[in-house]
């Protein structure tokens, strides 16, 4: 097995992964879409939307819970989307023992 060839393939795959992470946008919601969170493929916060109805001055913990739930929803969707995008990427490597 040619190590230079394997290294080149690994670098190409790493570049594709970085591009996929940067370009992916996933939205998570909570409270019937009172709170929306948008993440990229690296799970960095790219956007946040909070409806007026989500803000109760008497119960700030409700908004905190909605924010956490929306972020978790977006993070789960991001994991699923990245798995789907990356599924075929390693197939061409043909590395023994990795099941790719």
């Amino acid at each position: 097995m040619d190590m230079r060839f394997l290294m080149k393939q690994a670098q190409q795959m790493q570049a594709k992964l970085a591009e996929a992470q940067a370009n992916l946008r996933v939205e998570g919601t909570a409270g019937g879409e009172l709170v929306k969170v948008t993440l990229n493929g690296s799970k960095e916060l790219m956007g946040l939307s909070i409806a007026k109805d989500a803000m109760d001055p008497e119960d700030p913990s409700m908004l905190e819970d909605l924010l956490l739930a929306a972020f978790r929803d977006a993070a789960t969707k991001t994991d699923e989307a990245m798995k789907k995008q990356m599924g075929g990427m390693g197939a061409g490597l043909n590395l023994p023992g990795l099941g790719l």
Side-chain angles (χ1 to χ4, degrees):
M1 218 177 243
D2 183 6
M3 286 304 288
R4 286 179 285 167
F5 176 74
L6 288 176
M7 290 299 291
K8 185 175 181 175
Q9 279 191 320
Q11 288 172 340
Q12 289 172 349
M13 195 165 106
Q14 189 175 25
K16 286 181 183 179
L17 172 62
E19 182 180 349
Q21 287 176 326
N23 292 329
L24 183 69
R25 294 293 182 272
V26 178
E27 184 175 270
T29 62
E33 297 193 3
L34 288 175
V35 174
K36 296 178 186 177
V37 171
T38 304
L39 302 180
N40 68 10
S42 298
K43 296 183 186 171
E44 295 172 328
L45 184 64
M46 303 305 290
L48 175 64
S49 172
I50 303 171
K52 275 189 198 182
D53 297 343
M55 296 179 238
D56 181 358
E58 302 298 319
D59 187 11
S61 66
M62 182 182 83
L63 179 55
E64 293 167 357
D65 291 343
L66 289 172
L67 285 166
L68 284 172
F71 185 86
R72 287 182 182 134
D73 182 45
T76 299
K77 289 176 180 176
T78 299
D79 288 340
E80 292 168 0
M82 286 303 296
K83 256 187 225 177
K84 197 175 200 178
Q85 274 192 336
M86 300 308 294
M89 229 181 252
L93 289 178
N94 195 21
L95 296 175
L98 292 183
L100 297 175

